[in-house]
């Protein structure tokens, strides 16, 4: 069934509008003498991770906030990395700390994430902040899930009572997104699908909104999508030639009522939400007395 041209969920344009507001908020903080600052830590020289970090620092420059780019060798030991995180935890000039994932296998990502002061957890992935989300009292939000919800609301995609199928249960997107969409005030009906859910097509075909964060090329095709459904592709992978490939196959546009582009769907919104978290944290620093600052 060919429904014509679906609504294009343009995350880049949506993020640009958010960046304009964040730039004004950052400038207001700077005028008050508080310069928001983020520190990123990248272990190893993975090209994709390096590119992601680079774009985050470009965004900082665009908004006029301070950033520090720390690169560590692949073989760095965990104690050294934990010591570096601690030094930033106690630095009153640092508002946000981000350790780029994935980490080398000899490092424990759970321990590394937990070592970050939750008040400086600009990624929103610290157990304390995820726990607040689970309890229905979110504070610092996970960036990509928050970006996805922002995108859907921007394009007035109904959420309350809608059947949302999320493919992928990772801690960066799938699990926190399921928690976020089920919060009171959003009220979606969420199914979280993964490798043990086979086949996934039956659940997807009954969904009003399909969000894929699996990182499997062309995983979702037109046969799995109900006519007129909204489809958001988050997961990406790379083919043997190094070309980026989406979870969402090309033919999905024939049946979807709204769909993200094959490339660049929510990356800019993820960075915008990262900056929103940074400015939120810096705003708190601007209003606290020195005795209340992290020790």
């Amino acid at each position: 069934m060919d429904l014509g041209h679906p609504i294009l969920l343009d995350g880049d344009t949506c993020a640009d509008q958010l960046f304009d507001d964040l730039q004004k908020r950052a400038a207001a903080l700077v005028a008050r003498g508080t310069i928001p600052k983020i520190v990123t830590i990248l272990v190893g020289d993975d090209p994709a991770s390096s590119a992601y970090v680079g774009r985050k620092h470009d965004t900082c420059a665009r908004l006029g906030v301070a950033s520090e780019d720390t690169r560590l060798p692949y073989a760095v030991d965990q104690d050294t990395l934990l010591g570096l995180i601690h030094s930033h935890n106690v630095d009153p000039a640092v508002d946000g700390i981000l350790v780029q994932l994935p980490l080398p296998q000899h490092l424990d990502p759970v321990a590394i994430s937990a070592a970050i002061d939750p008040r400086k957890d600009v990624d929103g992935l610290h157990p304390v902040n995820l726990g607040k989300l689970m309890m229905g009292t979110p504070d610092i939000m996970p960036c990509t899930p928050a970006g996805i919800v922002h995108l859907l609301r921007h394009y007035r995609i109904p959420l309350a009572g809608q059947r949302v199928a999320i493919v992928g249960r990772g801690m960066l997107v799938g699990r926190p997104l399921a928690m976020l969409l089920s919060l009171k005030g959003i009220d979606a009906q969420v199914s979280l699908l993964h490798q043990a859910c086979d086949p996934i097509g039956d659940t997807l075909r009954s969904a009003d909104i399909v969000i894929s964060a699996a990182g499997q090329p062309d995983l979702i095709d037109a046969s799995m999508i109900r006519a007129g459904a909204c489809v958001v592709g988050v997961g990406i992978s790379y083919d043997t030639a190094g070309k980026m490939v989406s979870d969402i196959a090309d033919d999905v546009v024939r049946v979807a009522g709204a769909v993200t582009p094959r490339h660049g769907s929510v990356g800019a919104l993820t960075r915008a939400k990262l900056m929103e978290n940074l400015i939120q944290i810096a705003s708190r620093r601007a209003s606290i007395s020195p005795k209340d600052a992290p020790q």
Side-chain angles (χ1 to χ4, degrees), residues 41-43 72 76-86 89 97-118 121 125-127:
I41 302 171
L42 174 61
V43 180
L72 299 176
V76 68
D77 63 86
Q78 184 151 311
D79 286 344
T80 298
L81 179 53
L82 291 172
L84 179 62
I85 291 170
H86 176 72
N89 281 341
I97 304 168
L98 184 153
V99 178
Q100 182 65 38
L101 301 175
L103 289 166
Q105 290 188 351
H106 68 279
L107 298 174
D108 181 354
V110 175
I112 298 302
S113 294
I116 296 171
D117 185 331
D121 169 36
L125 298 175
H126 190 282

Side-chain angles (χ1 to χ4, degrees), residues 49-98:
S49 292
S50 182
Y52 295 151
V53 170
R55 284 194 285 271
K56 289 167 184 174
H57 287 277
D58 289 343
T59 300
C60 289
R62 173 180 178 178
L63 298 186
V65 303
S67 65
E68 182 178 322
D69 185 357
T70 301
R71 306 288 175 111
L72 299 176
Y74 182 90
V76 68
D77 63 86
Q78 184 151 311
D79 286 344
T80 298
L81 179 53
L82 291 172
L84 179 62
I85 291 170
H86 176 72
S87 69
H88 294 309
N89 281 341
V90 299
D91 185 346
V94 173
D95 298 293
I97 304 168
L98 184 153

